[in-house]
Amino acid sequence: MPMVTVLYFARLREVLGKSSESIALPASVRDLEGLRALLIARGGAWEQELAPGRPVRAAVNQAMAVGDVQIADGDEVAFFPPVTGG
Amino acid sequence: MMVRIQTADFDVSAEIAALRRNNPKIGAVASFVGVVRDVNDGGAVAGMTLEHYPGMTEKAIEEIVVQAKGRWKVIDALVIHRVGTLKPTDQIVLVVVTSGHRGDAFAACEFIMDYLKTRAPFWKKEQSGEGSRWVEARATDDIAAGRWRLKG
C-alpha cells in the first residue's frame, strides 16, 4: 500500500491531538479530497474539523494544494487552518 | 534573496546595511517591520506564540519573492520572520527590497507582505488574562493579496 506522511498544524494539531502520522492509502484514495474523506470517516473531532466548508487549508509536498491534487507513495500532506503570520 | 525564520530578534539597520553593501546600482530601499500590538479584535494581548511549518515556510516565501522579482525591477530582497514566543512591542517580521527606483521597491515590498499574510504557513496563538486563543485569518488579508491580481 502507498504510504503518506500527514502533518497537522496549529489549532488542528491541538484539537486532533497529533502533529503527524503515517497513513496507508487504500486503493480508493488517490487525491487530496479522498484523503480528507478518509480522515473525516474517523468521526468525532476529525469529522467536525475537516468537514466540507470548514476553514481548512492543505499542502502536498510543502506546496499549497486543493481537492483534486493527486497524492502518491512517499508524499508529505499537511492540513492546517488559514495562515495568520506577518 | 534571503529568507530567514528565527526565534531571535533582528537589527533593521544592520540587515539593510548588509543587503545593500557595495552595490552602487541600488537607488531605493523599501522596508516593512511588523510589530506585536497589545490589542487585537478589541481584546488585550499579553503575548503570542508563533508556530510555522518548517520547510514549507521558506519555500512559500521564496516563491513569493520570485513572483515579486518577475513583476518589478528588484535588485535583492530579504525576509526575516520570527517564530516562538513574542510580547507586545516585539518585532515579528521584516521585509526589505532594494531596487534602482522607489516605485519598484515600494510595490514589491507591499506585494511580498500581502502575499506572506495569506500564503506563508505561520499561525499566531495569542495569550491574554483569560487564556489563549488561535488568531483567525482576516478576510481583509485575502482582499489585500487579491488586489495584486488586478494590478499590472
Side-chain angles (χ1 to χ4, degrees), chain B residues 24-133:
Chain B
K25 300 280 189 282
I26 294 170
V29 180
S31 66
F32 172 85
V33 179
V35 176
V36 182
R37 286 186 309 266
D38 69 355
V39 64
N40 190 26
D41 292 336
V45 175
M48 66 169 61
T49 308
L50 266 142
E51 177 173 334
H52 78 123
Y53 181 173
M56 180 175 166
T57 314
E58 293 83 348
K59 284 183 193 171
I61 297 173
E62 282 165 10
E63 168 63 26
I64 292 164
V65 174
V66 166
Q67 280 190 42
K69 286 185 163 180
R71 296 176 70 141
W72 294 281
K73 289 176 182 160
V74 170
I75 292 173
D76 206 354
L78 164 70
V79 178
I80 300 175
H81 203 300
R82 293 177 71 189
V83 292
T85 305
L86 298 171
K87 62 184 190 310
T89 74
D90 280 350
Q91 303 183 119
I92 308 178
V93 60
L94 171 66
V95 177
V96 184
V97 174
T98 60
S99 184
H101 301 278
R102 72 182 183 283
D104 289 305
F106 274 133
C109 186
E110 190 175 19
F111 171 90
I112 290 169
M113 200 52 222
D114 282 349
Y115 266 62
L116 185 152
K117 295 282 284 189
T118 56
R119 307 282 299 179
F122 294 99
W123 301 275
K124 288 178 184 141
K125 191 177 196 181
E126 291 176 347
Q127 283 90 41
S128 72
E130 294 139 32
S132 60
R133 64 166 198 129

Side-chain angles (χ1 to χ4, degrees), chain B residues 2-21:
Chain B
M2 204 189 315
V3 175
R4 288 185 356 229
I5 312 300
Q6 61 188 46
T7 53
D9 196 11
F10 47 82
D11 179 331
V12 176
S13 296
E15 297 296 345
I16 290 176
L19 194 68
R20 69 187 193 84
R21 183 164 295 139

Side-chain angles (χ1 to χ4, degrees), chain A:
Chain A
M1 261 192 196
M3 297 290 295
V4 295
T5 301
V6 184
L7 309 177
Y8 309 97
F9 289 96
R11 204 182 64 80
L12 277 183
R13 173 178 52 75
E14 287 187 350
V15 176
L16 300 175
K18 60 173 74 184
S19 57
S20 75
E21 62 180 315
S22 290
I23 295 180
L25 296 181
S28 58
V29 174
R30 285 292 171 264
D31 64 14
L32 184 61
E33 206 54 45
L35 175 61
R36 187 164 165 174
L38 190 71
L39 297 172
I40 288 170
R42 290 173 170 176
W46 298 88
E47 187 176 6
Q48 272 181 15
E49 295 297 327
L50 299 175
R54 295 284 294 160
V56 176
R57 300 287 182 270
V60 174
N61 295 328
Q62 304 189 349
M64 289 281 192
V66 288
D68 60 355
V69 171
Q70 298 287 304
I71 52 176
D73 188 49
D75 280 352
E76 178 178 295
V77 182
F79 292 97
F80 44 79
V83 303
T84 56

